[in-house]
Amino acid sequence: MDWKKEAIQSLRDYGLIQSGMESTYEQIKRMEESMTNASPKAGKIPVPAGTSTNEEKLVANIAKLEELRKAYLDAKLHCNLVDKALGYLQLEEGTILRSVYIEGLSPAEIAEKLNYSIQWIYSVRDRALRKYTLAYYGTIYT
């Protein structure tokens, strides 16, 4: 496995995963509210278990809710791991990795923004990526 490539991908995915986590959370809340507010209709003739359309919908909704909760927890874990690994970096290292891989800025744009040379940006990026990879995966070797 190429750990550096995986580390870069974890950073590039961060923003999308964070956005997905937020929308998944909203979906969970909506489903929980609709399931809580759903009440049986009075005056209906009882239907034997396993044949009710409402019962089938409820079971399907419970399964979907569990899938959403798992997806939310997976996304939250990924974001927490990225945040924790970035936390081991010096401020300038974290800023450069976030700028390059999460925000999608070029080294030239970052150099201009921070008033540093492009060579310095590349140097810090490479050093920071190595440290980030070690903090995230515990290895840089295949």
Side-chain angles (χ1 to χ4, degrees), residues 20-134:
M21 183 174 71
E22 292 167 5
S23 66
T24 300
Y25 180 79
E26 291 171 13
Q27 289 179 57
I28 290 169
K29 289 299 165 199
R30 277 196 305 271
M31 284 192 75
E32 287 175 342
E33 284 177 16
S34 71
M35 290 172 71
T36 302
N37 294 334
S39 61
K41 306 236 189 243
K44 281 204 157 193
I45 300 171
V47 179
T51 61
S52 167
T53 304
N54 287 338
E55 186 177 290
E56 290 170 2
K57 286 180 184 177
L58 180 62
V59 170
N61 282 341
I62 290 170
K64 182 177 179 181
L65 187 58
E66 288 307 310
E67 287 177 23
L68 287 170
R69 286 179 177 149
K70 182 182 179 329
Y72 175 81
L73 291 175
D74 289 346
K76 187 173 183 177
L77 175 63
H78 174 80
C79 289
N80 287 344
L81 290 171
V82 169
D83 290 338
K84 186 174 181 179
L86 286 171
Y88 286 105
L89 306 178
Q90 294 177 3
L91 180 61
E92 63 195 15
E93 295 170 333
T95 298
I96 290 171
L97 284 189
R98 281 184 191 89
S99 298
V100 171
Y101 298 114
I102 296 174
E103 298 170 23
L105 299 176
S106 71
E109 291 171 312
I110 300 165
E112 184 178 325
K113 181 178 163 184
L114 298 178
N115 202 25
Y116 287 109
S117 73
I118 294 175
Q119 182 57 39
W120 185 84
I121 299 296
Y122 278 114
S123 174
V124 173
R125 183 203 63 187
D126 292 345
R127 180 179 71 233
L129 185 57
R130 183 179 192 283
K131 288 170 67 175
Y132 171 84
T133 303
L134 283 169

